[in-house]
Amino acid sequence: MSEEENIAGNGVDLNELRAGLINLIQSHQDTDEPGLPVSPKTSDNLLEVDGLKMHFPVRGGVLSRQVGAVRAVDGVTLSIGRGETLGLVGESGCGKSTLGKAIVRLLKPTAGSVHFKGNDITRMRQDFQMVFQDPAESLDARMSVGELIAEPMVIQRMGNREQRRERVAELLDRVGLPRSAAQKFSFEFSGGQRQRIGIARALAVNPDLLILDEPVSALDVSVQSQVINLLMELQRDLGLSYLFIAHDLAVVKHVSDRIAVMYLGKIVEMSGADELYRNPRHAYTKALIEAIPVSDPSQRRDHEPLEGEVPSPINPPPGCAFGHRVSAPRYEESIERDIRLKEIAPGHWVSNCPCCVSASPAGVIES
């Protein structure tokens, strides 16, 4: 007796069974995972990150078993278009750098997916590179500048020795360093010059996307402007896309097309740069903008420092983490609420939190 005959013999209607299975599959496909923003996917997106998580195990006990996890990145979804700069801002420890490293697979994500040009990013390592925060630590002091810049080309088996030497000279010209720098070592240069060497190395294999992990935070203000102008010039000439990670919101606004605000491993608000500064909706975004120093000393701004401590990523509070930190009056309402990013205006996404998000002109955001 066949399996279908056996089921039918037990009084089960096969057509109803099939219909129930189809409805179950469709309902599963149509349901978004709680806490993850719905991001439209278009052919213009160069990078697409969906529900990315990076949890580090915490071990304890005699047998060193896992007793918890540090939720450094906890369900991030974003996209970057061709030739676009997405700024990523937030306090130290919120997971910005970890997100960048997980995207380029320097860290293996716990969950989620990263697609580049529609393909799994693990097969396209040459097409995206990273510029690190501290060039003194990221450049091997035992290698000459020429060897440092040529190393990615050697790994990717690009050209012969003479072609790589000429490419190194071209890249030094491009980043504003003399060709004679190829014979020197990185410790012979200033911080700004070392960062230019790091940028030249990242450009060696002709990438389409650069992950810039606070590329100017360790530099003097005058040198910062030079490096930022160089990055913008390279983007204009080469059509590069950037994920620009930084603390300084004034710098991020200057270089970014869109800005994402990150808090405790999650994106809490994301929109166009001008829109975010003109109409911030999340309380954390407002606090960051209010903390930007004013260049004119005669102007005074009423600014109160944020209260409380950042919650532990090992044991985050239920509901809204920022509302818990500042003891928001409506924090209790967020505990049982499905908090995720909602599009409140075209291109403006904000966490749907009752205690930290101001009402829209049309009323309070609905869950």
Side-chain angles (χ1 to χ4, degrees), residues 13-232:
D13 190 322
L14 292 178
N15 291 330
E16 291 183 1
L17 181 61
R18 292 190 182 100
L21 289 174
I22 292 173
N23 291 334
L24 179 62
I25 294 172
Q26 289 178 341
S27 64
H28 175 72
Q29 291 175 339
D30 293 340
T31 303
D32 298 315
E33 183 179 345
L36 299 184
V38 180
S39 177
K41 298 185 182 301
T42 68
S43 59
D44 293 331
N45 286 341
L46 188 70
L47 176 74
E48 292 176 343
V49 179
D50 290 315
L52 193 68
K53 296 182 180 182
M54 187 67 244
H55 295 177
F56 297 96
V58 176
R59 303 187 182 278
V62 177
L63 300 178
S64 189
R65 294 177 177 174
Q66 182 173 343
V67 295
V70 177
R71 303 179 182 183
V73 178
D74 199 18
V76 169
T77 295
L78 54 83
S79 62
I80 300 178
R82 297 178 185 273
E84 181 186 32
T85 298
L86 174 65
L88 183 63
V89 299
E91 292 174 292
S92 295
C94 71
K96 305 185 302 298
S97 296
T98 302
L99 174 61
K101 292 176 181 178
I103 289 175
V104 299
R105 284 303 196 270
L106 290 178
L107 297 172
K108 185 178 180 180
T110 306
S113 64
V114 181
H115 286 82
F116 187 77
K117 297 180 180 178
N119 300 308
D120 190 286
I121 203 165
T122 57
R123 305 189 187 98
M124 307 185 72
R125 188 65 178 85
Q126 177 180 334
D127 291 341
F128 54 93
Q129 297 292 317
M130 190 164 185
V131 176
F132 296 92
Q133 176 179 355
D134 188 353
E137 294 293 332
S138 62
L139 299 177
D140 191 339
R142 297 170 297 180
M143 301 173 67
S144 69
V145 171
E147 292 171 333
L148 286 169
I149 298 175
E151 185 179 27
M153 294 183 280
V154 174
I155 295 173
Q156 298 294 337
R157 299 179 181 179
M158 297 175 60
N160 55 37
R161 181 173 297 180
E162 184 58 35
Q163 289 172 330
R164 289 194 292 268
R165 185 181 295 112
E166 182 59 31
R167 174 66 172 159
V168 168
E170 293 175 358
L171 289 169
L172 289 172
D173 290 339
R174 169 67 73 173
V175 299
L177 292 176
R179 295 194 173 196
S180 60
Q183 311 303 321
K184 298 180 180 181
F185 292 87
S186 60
F187 58 79
E188 300 182 66
F189 295 89
S190 66
Q193 290 173 323
R194 281 197 291 258
Q195 195 61 287
R196 290 172 183 265
I197 295 170
I199 294 171
R201 182 178 62 174
L203 295 175
V205 291
N206 298 312
D208 294 314
L209 171 69
L210 291 184
I211 308 296
L212 305 171
D213 184 13
E214 303 196 34
V216 297
S217 62
L219 307 178
D220 294 335
V221 175
S222 59
V223 180
Q224 285 184 13
S225 62
Q226 297 173 12
V227 174
I228 290 172
N229 290 335
L230 171 62
L231 291 170
M232 297 180 71

Side-chain angles (χ1 to χ4, degrees), residues 314-330:
I314 299 177
N315 186 26
C320 175
F322 186 73
H324 179 273
R325 172 183 177 179
V326 299
S327 301
R330 299 180 61 188

Side-chain angles (χ1 to χ4, degrees), residues 302-353:
D302 294 330
H303 168 63
E304 296 183 2
L306 287 176
E307 301 176 355
E309 297 292 334
V310 179
S312 170
I314 299 177
N315 186 26
C320 175
F322 186 73
H324 179 273
R325 172 183 177 179
V326 299
S327 301
R330 299 180 61 188
Y331 165 70
E332 297 294 335
E333 298 180 29
S334 72
I335 295 179
E336 301 298 331
R337 188 156 184 168
D338 180 18
I339 299 178
R340 65 175 71 187
L341 288 183
K342 292 287 186 179
E343 191 173 22
I344 61 173
H348 193 156
W349 300 75
V350 66
S351 174
N352 183 25
C353 173

Side-chain angles (χ1 to χ4, degrees), residues 350-361:
V350 66
S351 174
N352 183 25
C353 173
C355 63
C356 292
V357 178
S358 58
S360 65

